[in-house]
């Protein structure tokens, strides 16, 4: 699949533990928008460089996982910002409530790692998170570049959907069901809403996922674990929860959810 010097999409993803990207971002000082720049052509990287970055991803996974489970560390590191930000304080309070149960739950990390090339053949890791970025939107760029150039590495959407569907089938081989966790649709950023819907449609159309629910925190609050160990929301057994909560909070305040499913089966978009 890779030649000696394959093209890599301007933003790359690899399935399961290995997903890498090259991306530059610019925040305009005169507008509340972030512009993600894509190169007109895919970035050319050697197989050795791609494999070197891929080998780093398990280390990033371990770092994200250990930090996310260490409430004492997070409370200390974020204490100052939590005193000035209602959102941050609320997030820490929720983490204090749920972190002890986290060790009981398997986790699938879908990192969005952004690397920029530096002098001397090295790379700089600029951004990282565990929600896989925005694979549906990036796929549009990848599809264009794949049509115009040969030997472009695999795209982000298939990689993310393959990881999600494979993990869901480990729980329910015959009827995998994925719940996509986000804010209620009317509060979700348009770019995130489009991306979430695109991932859900791809899971059902091409990756054998029987059902995709779009749920809010209010919906999940009504979910229960039954006597057989199934996580059930209404009459549906959930195989996997894909978190795309859209953490943007430009005002620095926590916006309470209103409405929502209130214990229903998820929101119809």
């Amino acid at each position: 699949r890779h030649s000696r010097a394959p093209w890599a999409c301007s933003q790359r993803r690899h399935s399961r533990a290995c997903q890498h990207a090259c991306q530059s971002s610019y925040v305009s000082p005169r507008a509340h928008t972030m512009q993600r720049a894509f190169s007109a052509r895919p970035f050319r990287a050697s197989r050795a460089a791609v494999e070197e970055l891929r080998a780093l991803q398990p280390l990033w996974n371990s770092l994200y996982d250990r930090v996310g489970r260490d409430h004492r560390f997070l409370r200390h590191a974020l204490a100052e910002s939590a005193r000035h930000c209602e959102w941050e304080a609320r997030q820490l309070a929720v983490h204090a409530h749920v972190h002890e149960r986290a060790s009981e739950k398997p986790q699938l990390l879908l990192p969005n790692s952004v690397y920029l090339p530096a002098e001397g053949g090295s790379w700089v890791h600029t951004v990282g998170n565990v929600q896989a970025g925005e694979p549906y939107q990036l796929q549009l760029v990848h599809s264009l570049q794949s049509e115009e150039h040969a030997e472009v590495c695999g795209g982000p959407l298939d990689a993310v959907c393959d990881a999600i569907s494979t993990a869901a089938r480990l729980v329910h081989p015959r009827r995998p069901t994925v719940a996509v966790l986000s804010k209620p649709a009317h509060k979700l950023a348009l770019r995130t809403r489009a991306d979430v819907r695109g991932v859900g449609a791809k899971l059902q159309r091409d990756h054998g996922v029987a059902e995709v629910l779009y749920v809010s925190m209010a919906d999940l609050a009504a979910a229960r674990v039954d006597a057989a160990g199934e996580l059930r929301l209404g009459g549906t057994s959930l195989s996997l929860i894909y978190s795309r909560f859209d953490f943007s909070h430009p005002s620095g305040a926590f916006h309470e959810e209103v409405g929502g499913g209130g214990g229903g089966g998820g929101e119809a978009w």
Side-chain angles (χ1 to χ4, degrees):
R1 192 167 183 174
H2 295 108
S3 66
R4 179 170 299 177
W7 290 109
C9 181
S10 57
Q11 300 204 28
R12 291 193 300 274
R13 301 292 189 277
H14 299 285
S15 64
R16 299 184 181 90
C18 301
Q19 297 173 355
H20 309 296
C22 289
Q23 164 188 338
S24 61
S25 299
Y26 170 70
V27 179
S28 170
R30 293 177 293 179
H32 296 289
T33 58
M34 183 172 71
Q35 302 167 340
R36 287 181 172 86
F38 297 93
S39 59
R41 296 183 299 171
F43 183 82
R44 193 174 186 88
S46 68
R47 178 188 295 182
V50 172
E51 293 301 323
E52 181 181 8
L53 297 180
R54 179 179 295 171
L56 289 175
Q57 200 58 62
L59 297 177
W60 289 122
N61 285 2
S62 296
L63 177 62
Y64 297 142
D65 183 60
R66 292 182 182 183
V67 169
R69 295 175 187 266
D70 192 339
H71 181 71
R72 182 178 179 181
F73 169 78
L74 290 173
R75 186 177 58 193
H76 174 75
L78 302 176
E80 183 64 23
S81 58
R83 280 195 287 269
H84 301 284
C85 178
E86 181 185 351
W87 172 280
E88 195 91 297
R90 177 66 175 269
Q91 293 289 89
L92 276 177
V94 171
H95 192 272
H97 180 68
V98 303
H99 81 280
E100 291 184 358
R101 294 289 303 277
S103 61
E104 305 172 14
K105 304 177 186 299
Q107 297 189 69
L108 175 67
L109 302 185
L110 299 171
N112 170 30
S113 292
V114 181
Y115 292 94
L116 296 177
E119 295 181 359
S122 61
W123 299 82
V124 177
H125 183 263
T126 61
V127 177
N129 63 54
V130 295
Q131 290 188 298
E134 295 172 335
Y136 177 72
Q137 295 187 72
L138 298 182
Q139 186 67 28
L140 302 179
V141 178
H142 178 270
S143 297
L144 172 63
Q145 295 185 346
S146 296
E147 290 296 327
E148 296 179 342
H149 303 275
E151 301 175 345
V152 175
C153 291
L157 188 57
D158 277 324
V160 168
C161 289
D162 178 61
I164 292 173
S165 60
T166 298
R169 277 193 293 272
L170 291 175
V171 180
H172 295 123
R174 295 184 179 180
R175 187 176 172 79
T177 298
V178 173
V180 183
L181 172 63
S182 68
K183 295 176 184 176
H186 70 282
K187 290 190 173 183
L188 202 60
L190 180 59
R191 62 181 177 81
T192 307
R193 183 177 179 181
D195 200 81
V196 163
R197 195 66 180 87
V199 171
K202 179 76 170 178
L203 285 169
Q204 289 187 281
R205 184 177 63 247
D206 298 329
H207 290 266
V209 173
E211 187 174 6
V212 175
L213 302 178
Y214 301 92
V215 301
S216 69
M217 287 291 191
D219 294 316
L220 281 186
R224 296 292 182 268
V225 177
D226 66 16
E230 296 278 350
L231 178 62
R232 299 186 67 83
L233 180 61
T236 303
S237 293
L238 303 181
S239 311
L240 179 144
I241 298 172
Y242 174 39
S243 179
R244 292 295 305 276
F245 200 65
D246 186 20
F247 295 105
S248 304
H249 59 293
S251 66
F254 184 85
H255 300 289
E256 293 288 350
E257 289 186 1
V258 295
E267 188 170 2
W269 287 16

